[in-house]
Amino acid sequence: MVDINRFDNMFLINAPAGSGKTTYIENTIINLLAKYPNRKILSITYTNRAKEELNSRINSKNVIIDTIHSFLSGFVALYFSKTEVINLYLEVFENKIEAMIDNGEEESKNARYIDKFGKLDFKTVKNNLHRIFYNEQSYSSYYYGGLSHDDMIFFCRKMFEKFEVLKKRLSSKYEYIFIDEYQDTSADVLYIFYQSVVNTKSKLYLLGDKMQEIYSNYDGSFNTILSKFNQDDSLHTNYRCSFNIVRVLNNLYNDENFFQEPNEAREKVNPTVVITNDFSEFFMEQFKDYVQLYLFNRERFEKIGAGDLYSALSDMKAYKFPSQYTPVDVLTDTTNDNPDKLFRILFCVCDFIKMISMAAYGRSIQLAREKKKIFNSRFTDIKLHDDKIVFSDKVKKLKEVYDTSAMVIQEFCEFLTDNEYCNEDIFLPFLEDTEYENVLKVSLSQLNALYTYLGKPSVSTQHGVKGEGHNNVCFIAEDSTRNPIVYMYEFFKLLCAGDINLTDFQNFYYDYVSDMKSIDLTYLKPARTYKEHEDEYLKFAQYVKDKYKDNKYFSFCQQEYYDKYLNNPNSTNAKGCFKATKIKGILWAYKLFYVGCSRAKENLVIVVDENKIASYGKEFIKRMISIGFDVKGRELYGEKNRDSYGRVY
């Protein structure tokens, strides 16, 4: 029976880890080109790396492969100087512009504007704003029309909603649209494409895996529409992981709709949980042939020798909660997908220096020429033998400064431009921006230490390996109470408490967050304003408690906070009650654990802190075995070590 409520031109394709999403997109596009050689196709990838990979496989002028920010900014740039669009910009961001004008913390930015235009008020900003642009930064320059990563997407949605011509232009230009990693795509982006293709002949394909949603881009607000997508097609075969690892992944997902089949039936080594209180370098040495997945947080960066870098980025408005990106995202991504333009440049310079240290002069010159927006063209203009000597001398000096200098990052940036390694204006926006003031004061040695650490083949971040596969993976189970918030050991406890699955847990999270948005929580502080609204908050708390009284996730994550508040009403207990921090921290741990496990092709080891599971150790061992792990360290709980088949070893 045909579902008349289901879209016939929109498709949701579930594609779990290792199922070959890129290959699916590639084959589908190639087949479409063979059948309809003149039709236009758009494929949106999540990263530049994925874009480059797909571009290397498909060579057709009728196929556009791009990242979402690059595509949308280019698509709407034609309209950014239109009066109607500028007026919409001023309408959408008026409150933020007014807030900046009144904010004493923006004194230096305001002073620069006054120096340039004579005065600063909303009317002056309006009169001097003649175009909008995507500034490729994590923060917006509201006075000048510069849109950040987040604001550009948000404003694009507003443009598409207001100007019908944009939707018509998109759907008429592209007959097939593919969006990879939809679960990490913001609802604003999904709405843009949905609104553009609905009731048209164009077809929209979303591919992804909600278990791998480990960024904060998607908020669940698109789920009602998403449920109407055609979901008949899915990818079930895992081409990456061994039979035994696939078994673990299926048990973790615990949803028959997302069941994976291994590519081969041959069983290999069982995944293993190691329970220990020894995290010394000597202990971890036994996993030297494994990619070791750590949770990166303040403590990790301090251990690396880059703690000041983390602190400086944490103080930037762009990376404070609830921003899409965190300091971890900036400090662990050495690719061109890094959300911060300054660090994209700095890591690119580090790449160049690394090539020099390896005597890979040809590759270094090629990199500099490819990144001509960063590197001074005169620096790599080598025609004669004497040019080679000059180049050799200059790069030796650069490496010496990078390795031994006591410079801070600002001095290093100035050194790069003063000595014509980099274009003279490349660092100017950051040198003039007070947001970067503390970052620029950090020692260059910290950048060096961080880059060196990230370059170790045996070390990676738990979310940074997404999309990758490694023969041997060692996942170190850790908590983080700072951004990113991850409650791995609370997740383990929840896993032991009963039957859970990702779909139910995530739906609860979305519903709960939606409930919290339905009430104004600004009156919780100070105490006086709380007292004036206490009856309203108590009524709301009772409503939420009653609504979720039979929900296992609410019982585990939030019940105690609601009981505490209802029994002892005050502003402190109310704030603890209405936060979704614990839910999010456990949910993110769930996903990170799954993503970490799904990176392993052959061998998977989970290292667990004995002290952190002390209260539920026996239950934890039993649960891990039922999922498909062998467990080492059972003797700590008076039990013999057994594998997942009950065999003693």
Side-chain angles (χ1 to χ4, degrees), residues 51 108 123 125-126 150 177 180 195 207 218 226 244 260 304-305 319 344 364 394 399 417 427 445 526 561 574 623:
K51 170 186 170 180
S108 60
K123 185 179 179 181
V125 172
K126 181 179 180 179
D150 294 351
I177 300 171
D180 194 11
Q195 291 170 345
L207 294 94
Y218 181 60
L226 203 59
N244 289 350
Q260 296 185 65
I304 294 169
Y319 305 118
R344 287 203 301 272
S364 68
K394 287 197 70 166
K399 187 176 182 309
T417 54
F427 295 110
S445 63
Y561 300 112
R623 187 73 173 101

mmCIF file of all heavy atoms in Angstrom, residues 51 108 123 125-126 150 177 180 195 207 218 226 244 260 304-305 319 344 364 394 399 417 427 445 526 561 574 623:
data_model
loop_
_atom_site.group_PDB
_atom_site.id
_atom_site.type_symbol
_atom_site.label_atom_id
_atom_site.label_comp_id
_atom_site.label_asym_id
_atom_site.label_seq_id
_atom_site.Cartn_x
_atom_site.Cartn_y
_atom_site.Cartn_z
ATOM 1 N N LYS A 51 35.042 15.891 -0.086
ATOM 2 C CA LYS A 51 34.841 16.555 -1.374
ATOM 3 C C LYS A 51 35.934 16.157 -2.360
ATOM 4 O O LYS A 51 35.662 15.802 -3.514
ATOM 5 C CB LYS A 51 34.820 18.066 -1.168
ATOM 6 C CG LYS A 51 34.869 18.900 -2.455
ATOM 7 C CD LYS A 51 34.991 20.383 -2.117
ATOM 8 C CE LYS A 51 35.288 21.219 -3.345
ATOM 9 N NZ LYS A 51 35.402 22.673 -2.990
ATOM 10 N N SER A 108 36.826 48.255 21.978
ATOM 11 C CA SER A 108 37.857 48.423 20.952
ATOM 12 C C SER A 108 37.272 48.315 19.540
ATOM 13 O O SER A 108 37.656 49.083 18.648
ATOM 14 C CB SER A 108 38.966 47.393 21.147
ATOM 15 O OG SER A 108 38.445 46.072 21.065
ATOM 16 N N LYS A 123 21.616 53.373 12.765
ATOM 17 C CA LYS A 123 21.395 54.093 11.515
ATOM 18 C C LYS A 123 22.689 54.234 10.724
ATOM 19 O O LYS A 123 22.705 54.085 9.497
ATOM 20 C CB LYS A 123 20.796 55.472 11.804
ATOM 21 C CG LYS A 123 20.414 56.252 10.547
ATOM 22 C CD LYS A 123 19.792 57.597 10.898
ATOM 23 C CE LYS A 123 19.436 58.372 9.626
ATOM 24 N NZ LYS A 123 18.843 59.709 9.953
ATOM 25 N N VAL A 125 25.358 52.230 10.895
ATOM 26 C CA VAL A 125 25.674 50.897 10.371
ATOM 27 C C VAL A 125 24.855 50.626 9.114
ATOM 28 O O VAL A 125 25.372 50.152 8.096
ATOM 29 C CB VAL A 125 25.411 49.808 11.440
ATOM 30 C CG1 VAL A 125 25.555 48.415 10.825
ATOM 31 C CG2 VAL A 125 26.368 49.971 12.618
ATOM 32 N N LYS A 126 23.577 50.942 9.173
ATOM 33 C CA LYS A 126 22.678 50.741 8.032
ATOM 34 C C LYS A 126 23.132 51.544 6.818
ATOM 35 O O LYS A 126 23.171 51.030 5.693
ATOM 36 C CB LYS A 126 21.252 51.124 8.430
ATOM 37 C CG LYS A 126 20.220 50.932 7.319
ATOM 38 C CD LYS A 126 18.831 51.305 7.798
ATOM 39 C CE LYS A 126 17.808 51.112 6.675
ATOM 40 N NZ LYS A 126 16.430 51.459 7.135
ATOM 41 N N ASP A 150 28.031 29.775 11.299
ATOM 42 C CA ASP A 150 26.668 29.531 11.764
ATOM 43 C C ASP A 150 25.691 30.555 11.206
ATOM 44 O O ASP A 150 24.608 30.203 10.732
ATOM 45 C CB ASP A 150 26.616 29.541 13.295
ATOM 46 C CG ASP A 150 27.379 28.387 13.921
ATOM 47 O OD1 ASP A 150 27.810 27.491 13.175
ATOM 48 O OD2 ASP A 150 27.556 28.385 15.151
ATOM 49 N N ILE A 177 20.032 15.964 -5.981
ATOM 50 C CA ILE A 177 20.835 16.561 -4.908
ATOM 51 C C ILE A 177 21.127 15.491 -3.855
ATOM 52 O O ILE A 177 20.206 14.850 -3.346
ATOM 53 C CB ILE A 177 20.096 17.750 -4.257
ATOM 54 C CG1 ILE A 177 19.811 18.838 -5.309
ATOM 55 C CG2 ILE A 177 20.927 18.334 -3.105
ATOM 56 C CD1 ILE A 177 18.892 19.934 -4.799
ATOM 57 N N ASP A 180 25.523 14.234 2.038
ATOM 58 C CA ASP A 180 26.187 13.209 2.842
ATOM 59 C C ASP A 180 26.269 13.669 4.296
ATOM 60 O O ASP A 180 26.332 14.860 4.581
ATOM 61 C CB ASP A 180 27.587 12.959 2.278
ATOM 62 C CG ASP A 180 28.215 11.683 2.820
ATOM 63 O OD1 ASP A 180 27.508 10.875 3.475
ATOM 64 O OD2 ASP A 180 29.428 11.483 2.581
ATOM 65 N N GLN A 195 12.629 22.695 1.253
ATOM 66 C CA GLN A 195 11.716 23.711 0.734
ATOM 67 C C GLN A 195 11.946 23.978 -0.748
ATOM 68 O O GLN A 195 11.024 24.379 -1.458
ATOM 69 C CB GLN A 195 11.860 25.002 1.534
ATOM 70 C CG GLN A 195 11.340 24.905 2.963
ATOM 71 C CD GLN A 195 11.714 26.119 3.799
ATOM 72 O OE1 GLN A 195 12.571 26.922 3.431
ATOM 73 N NE2 GLN A 195 11.070 26.252 4.960
ATOM 74 N N LEU A 207 21.951 10.976 3.119
ATOM 75 C CA LEU A 207 22.647 9.766 3.546
ATOM 76 C C LEU A 207 23.355 10.032 4.860
ATOM 77 O O LEU A 207 23.944 11.097 5.065
ATOM 78 C CB LEU A 207 23.676 9.315 2.506
ATOM 79 C CG LEU A 207 23.127 8.847 1.159
ATOM 80 C CD1 LEU A 207 23.110 9.992 0.166
ATOM 81 C CD2 LEU A 207 23.953 7.680 0.613
ATOM 82 N N TYR A 218 22.786 19.318 14.357
ATOM 83 C CA TYR A 218 21.396 18.950 14.163
ATOM 84 C C TYR A 218 20.672 18.886 15.509
ATOM 85 O O TYR A 218 21.149 18.273 16.449
ATOM 86 C CB TYR A 218 21.305 17.610 13.429
ATOM 87 C CG TYR A 218 19.883 17.173 13.173
ATOM 88 C CD1 TYR A 218 19.024 17.958 12.418
ATOM 89 C CD2 TYR A 218 19.395 15.989 13.697
ATOM 90 C CE1 TYR A 218 17.715 17.564 12.191
ATOM 91 C CE2 TYR A 218 18.090 15.590 13.473
ATOM 92 C CZ TYR A 218 17.250 16.380 12.721
ATOM 93 O OH TYR A 218 15.949 16.003 12.514
ATOM 94 N N LEU A 226 11.412 14.618 8.202
ATOM 95 C CA LEU A 226 12.298 13.511 7.836
ATOM 96 C C LEU A 226 11.551 12.176 7.816
ATOM 97 O O LEU A 226 11.842 11.306 6.994
ATOM 98 C CB LEU A 226 13.461 13.451 8.819
ATOM 99 C CG LEU A 226 14.753 12.773 8.363
ATOM 100 C CD1 LEU A 226 15.322 13.467 7.127
ATOM 101 C CD2 LEU A 226 15.782 12.802 9.486
ATOM 102 N N ASN A 244 33.165 -10.189 14.294
ATOM 103 C CA ASN A 244 32.977 -10.015 15.732
ATOM 104 C C ASN A 244 32.757 -8.559 16.128
ATOM 105 O O ASN A 244 32.035 -8.269 17.080
ATOM 106 C CB ASN A 244 34.174 -10.587 16.494
ATOM 107 C CG ASN A 244 34.209 -12.102 16.448
ATOM 108 O OD1 ASN A 244 33.243 -12.737 16.015
ATOM 109 N ND2 ASN A 244 35.300 -12.696 16.876
ATOM 110 N N GLN A 260 23.427 -4.383 10.826
ATOM 111 C CA GLN A 260 24.465 -4.505 9.813
ATOM 112 C C GLN A 260 24.849 -5.961 9.570
ATOM 113 O O GLN A 260 24.869 -6.762 10.499
ATOM 114 C CB GLN A 260 25.727 -3.755 10.244
ATOM 115 C CG GLN A 260 25.557 -2.265 10.384
ATOM 116 C CD GLN A 260 26.883 -1.593 10.694
ATOM 117 O OE1 GLN A 260 27.805 -1.594 9.890
ATOM 118 N NE2 GLN A 260 26.976 -1.015 11.862
ATOM 119 N N ILE A 304 49.839 17.650 26.806
ATOM 120 C CA ILE A 304 50.578 17.799 25.560
ATOM 121 C C ILE A 304 51.558 18.960 25.643
ATOM 122 O O ILE A 304 52.635 18.936 25.047
ATOM 123 C CB ILE A 304 49.596 18.039 24.381
ATOM 124 C CG1 ILE A 304 48.743 16.802 24.142
ATOM 125 C CG2 ILE A 304 50.348 18.405 23.102
ATOM 126 C CD1 ILE A 304 47.582 17.060 23.194
ATOM 127 N N GLY A 305 51.205 19.975 26.440
ATOM 128 C CA GLY A 305 51.995 21.205 26.488
ATOM 129 C C GLY A 305 51.360 22.312 25.700
ATOM 130 O O GLY A 305 52.038 23.245 25.254
ATOM 131 N N TYR A 319 33.751 30.093 20.600
ATOM 132 C CA TYR A 319 33.888 28.698 20.989
ATOM 133 C C TYR A 319 33.336 28.382 22.368
ATOM 134 O O TYR A 319 33.621 27.349 22.944
ATOM 135 C CB TYR A 319 35.354 28.276 20.871
ATOM 136 C CG TYR A 319 35.901 28.546 19.489
ATOM 137 C CD1 TYR A 319 36.951 29.432 19.280
ATOM 138 C CD2 TYR A 319 35.301 27.972 18.372
ATOM 139 C CE1 TYR A 319 37.412 29.709 18.011
ATOM 140 C CE2 TYR A 319 35.749 28.249 17.096
ATOM 141 C CZ TYR A 319 36.802 29.123 16.919
ATOM 142 O OH TYR A 319 37.241 29.395 15.655
ATOM 143 N N ARG A 344 43.693 27.344 10.476
ATOM 144 C CA ARG A 344 43.870 26.729 9.157
ATOM 145 C C ARG A 344 45.188 27.207 8.545
ATOM 146 O O ARG A 344 45.945 26.423 7.981
ATOM 147 C CB ARG A 344 42.705 27.093 8.224
ATOM 148 C CG ARG A 344 41.404 26.389 8.539
ATOM 149 C CD ARG A 344 40.471 26.318 7.331
ATOM 150 N NE ARG A 344 40.096 27.596 6.791
ATOM 151 C CZ ARG A 344 39.063 28.325 7.195
ATOM 152 N NH1 ARG A 344 38.304 27.879 8.182
ATOM 153 N NH2 ARG A 344 38.758 29.474 6.631
ATOM 154 N N SER A 364 56.986 20.713 -0.615
ATOM 155 C CA SER A 364 56.762 21.967 0.104
ATOM 156 C C SER A 364 56.465 23.103 -0.870
ATOM 157 O O SER A 364 55.584 23.934 -0.626
ATOM 158 C CB SER A 364 57.976 22.311 0.982
ATOM 159 O OG SER A 364 59.109 22.642 0.190
ATOM 160 N N LYS A 394 66.279 30.264 3.198
ATOM 161 C CA LYS A 394 65.098 30.824 3.851
ATOM 162 C C LYS A 394 64.322 29.765 4.644
ATOM 163 O O LYS A 394 63.868 30.016 5.756
ATOM 164 C CB LYS A 394 64.173 31.478 2.825
ATOM 165 C CG LYS A 394 64.685 32.798 2.284
ATOM 166 C CD LYS A 394 63.593 33.608 1.620
ATOM 167 C CE LYS A 394 62.612 34.135 2.617
ATOM 168 N NZ LYS A 394 61.718 35.155 2.136
ATOM 169 N N LYS A 399 62.601 26.996 9.691
ATOM 170 C CA LYS A 399 62.555 25.828 10.561
ATOM 171 C C LYS A 399 63.267 26.081 11.886
ATOM 172 O O LYS A 399 62.810 25.662 12.949
ATOM 173 C CB LYS A 399 63.178 24.622 9.864
ATOM 174 C CG LYS A 399 63.013 23.317 10.644
ATOM 175 C CD LYS A 399 63.556 22.140 9.895
ATOM 176 C CE LYS A 399 63.321 20.848 10.677
ATOM 177 N NZ LYS A 399 63.767 20.899 12.080
ATOM 178 N N THR A 417 55.353 37.279 7.700
ATOM 179 C CA THR A 417 55.032 38.309 6.709
ATOM 180 C C THR A 417 56.224 39.245 6.459
ATOM 181 O O THR A 417 56.501 39.604 5.309
ATOM 182 C CB THR A 417 53.806 39.125 7.141
ATOM 183 O OG1 THR A 417 54.018 39.658 8.456
ATOM 184 C CG2 THR A 417 52.574 38.254 7.147
ATOM 185 N N PHE A 427 47.571 37.759 7.969
ATOM 186 C CA PHE A 427 47.350 37.708 9.412
ATOM 187 C C PHE A 427 46.720 38.984 9.971
ATOM 188 O O PHE A 427 46.374 39.033 11.152
ATOM 189 C CB PHE A 427 48.667 37.441 10.151
ATOM 190 C CG PHE A 427 49.261 36.090 9.857
ATOM 191 C CD1 PHE A 427 50.423 35.983 9.102
ATOM 192 C CD2 PHE A 427 48.665 34.938 10.327
ATOM 193 C CE1 PHE A 427 50.978 34.737 8.822
ATOM 194 C CE2 PHE A 427 49.212 33.680 10.053
ATOM 195 C CZ PHE A 427 50.368 33.596 9.291
ATOM 196 N N SER A 445 55.962 27.647 20.920
ATOM 197 C CA SER A 445 56.333 26.271 21.283
ATOM 198 C C SER A 445 55.108 25.414 21.558
ATOM 199 O O SER A 445 55.132 24.190 21.356
ATOM 200 C CB SER A 445 57.257 26.273 22.504
ATOM 201 O OG SER A 445 56.598 26.818 23.644
ATOM 202 N N PRO A 526 18.373 36.357 39.298
ATOM 203 C CA PRO A 526 18.652 36.143 40.724
ATOM 204 C C PRO A 526 17.495 35.518 41.492
ATOM 205 O O PRO A 526 16.419 35.297 40.928
ATOM 206 C CB PRO A 526 18.944 37.570 41.206
ATOM 207 C CG PRO A 526 18.083 38.424 40.315
ATOM 208 C CD PRO A 526 18.141 37.760 38.970
ATOM 209 N N TYR A 561 16.936 14.924 40.066
ATOM 210 C CA TYR A 561 16.926 16.384 40.087
ATOM 211 C C TYR A 561 15.513 16.925 40.272
ATOM 212 O O TYR A 561 15.297 17.915 40.991
ATOM 213 C CB TYR A 561 17.529 16.940 38.799
ATOM 214 C CG TYR A 561 18.964 16.501 38.567
ATOM 215 C CD1 TYR A 561 19.286 15.640 37.530
ATOM 216 C CD2 TYR A 561 19.991 16.946 39.389
ATOM 217 C CE1 TYR A 561 20.590 15.241 37.309
ATOM 218 C CE2 TYR A 561 21.302 16.555 39.186
ATOM 219 C CZ TYR A 561 21.594 15.696 38.137
ATOM 220 O OH TYR A 561 22.889 15.300 37.937
ATOM 221 N N ALA A 574 16.226 24.299 41.044
ATOM 222 C CA ALA A 574 15.506 24.483 39.779
ATOM 223 C C ALA A 574 16.469 24.456 38.599
ATOM 224 O O ALA A 574 16.204 23.823 37.574
ATOM 225 C CB ALA A 574 14.721 25.782 39.796
ATOM 226 N N ARG A 623 27.529 -7.254 31.231
ATOM 227 C CA ARG A 623 26.937 -6.548 30.089
ATOM 228 C C ARG A 623 27.902 -6.511 28.912
ATOM 229 O O ARG A 623 27.504 -6.703 27.764
ATOM 230 C CB ARG A 623 26.563 -5.127 30.494
ATOM 231 C CG ARG A 623 25.781 -4.384 29.425
ATOM 232 C CD ARG A 623 24.357 -4.913 29.344
ATOM 233 N NE ARG A 623 23.531 -4.138 28.457
ATOM 234 C CZ ARG A 623 23.231 -4.510 27.207
ATOM 235 N NH1 ARG A 623 23.699 -5.675 26.728
ATOM 236 N NH2 ARG A 623 22.476 -3.737 26.449
#
